PDB file of all heavy atoms in Angstrom:
ATOM      1  N   THR A  42      29.205 -22.723  55.705  1.00 87.00           N
ATOM      2  CA  THR A  42      29.716 -22.901  57.028  1.00 87.00           C
ATOM      3  C   THR A  42      28.588 -22.549  58.055  1.00 87.00           C
ATOM      4  O   THR A  42      27.685 -21.780  57.738  1.00 87.00           O
ATOM      5  CB  THR A  42      30.943 -22.029  57.315  1.00 87.00           C
ATOM      6  OG1 THR A  42      30.629 -20.650  57.066  1.00 87.00           O
ATOM      7  CG2 THR A  42      32.102 -22.436  56.420  1.00 87.00           C
ATOM      8  N   ALA A 129       9.927 -34.518  40.000  1.00 95.00           N
ATOM      9  CA  ALA A 129      10.308 -33.931  38.755  1.00 95.00           C
ATOM     10  C   ALA A 129      11.760 -34.389  38.363  1.00 95.00           C
ATOM     11  O   ALA A 129      11.957 -34.635  37.128  1.00 95.00           O
ATOM     12  CB  ALA A 129      10.256 -32.403  38.837  1.00 95.00           C
ATOM     13  N   LYS A 237      11.277 -32.119   0.807  1.00 63.00           N
ATOM     14  CA  LYS A 237      10.570 -31.107  -0.024  1.00 63.00           C
ATOM     15  C   LYS A 237      11.412 -30.732  -1.313  1.00 63.00           C
ATOM     16  O   LYS A 237      10.870 -30.572  -2.448  1.00 63.00           O
ATOM     17  CB  LYS A 237      10.239 -29.866   0.752  1.00 63.00           C
ATOM     18  CG  LYS A 237       9.117 -30.109   1.792  1.00 63.00           C
ATOM     19  CD  LYS A 237       8.771 -28.906   2.539  1.00 63.00           C
ATOM     20  CE  LYS A 237       7.697 -29.121   3.589  1.00 63.00           C
ATOM     21  NZ  LYS A 237       7.303 -27.869   4.262  1.00 63.00           N
TER      22      LYS A 237
END
Side-chain angles (χ1 to χ4, degrees):
T42 58
K237 289 183 178 180

